[in-house]
Amino acid sequence: LLPAYRRRGLGTSILRALLVEACAANRCVGLHVERRNPAANLYRKLGFVPVTDDGVYCQMRWQPSAGDAVAAVPMQEGEPAAA
C-alpha cells in the first residue's frame, strides 16, 4: 500500500478477503517480505509462517486449516469489513 493508506486497516481487510477465498478453495498463499518491513507482523498475526530467509527477504506461507488464523484475528476498530 502507498504510505498515505497504511495503518488504516486496508491491508488487513484485503488480506482477510484473500485468505477467506483461499480457504474456500483449499489453497495456500505465499509472499516475500523484507525482514525489516513492519507488514511482516501483520502477516504473522494472520497466520503466515516463515518458509525461507535469505537475510534480506523472508518467504512466508499461509495454509488453510480447520482453525485458521483468519477468523482468530479480531477486526480492528475502523477496519473496513471484507466483502
Side-chain angles (χ1 to χ4, degrees):
L1 294 174
L2 293 171
Y5 297 96
R6 294 178 189 161
R7 309 218 33 96
R8 295 182 181 189
L10 296 171
T12 301
S13 182
I14 292 167
L15 280 171
R16 266 184 212 282
L18 174 71
L19 297 179
V20 166
E21 287 187 33
C23 192
N26 198 34
R27 301 292 303 235
C28 297
V29 177
L31 56 81
H32 284 84
V33 62
E34 289 182 330
R35 290 180 67 206
R36 295 184 179 186
N37 186 331
N41 292 325
L42 168 62
Y43 305 144
R44 284 186 199 93
K45 285 180 187 178
L46 290 174
F48 284 84
V49 294
V51 177
T52 62
D53 187 332
D54 68 8
V56 177
Y57 294 97
C58 179
Q59 180 181 1
M60 301 182 84
R61 180 179 174 111
W62 176 91
Q63 55 188 55
S65 65
D68 69 51
V70 177
V73 177
M75 290 184 69
Q76 298 174 357
E77 183 177 329
E79 179 184 332

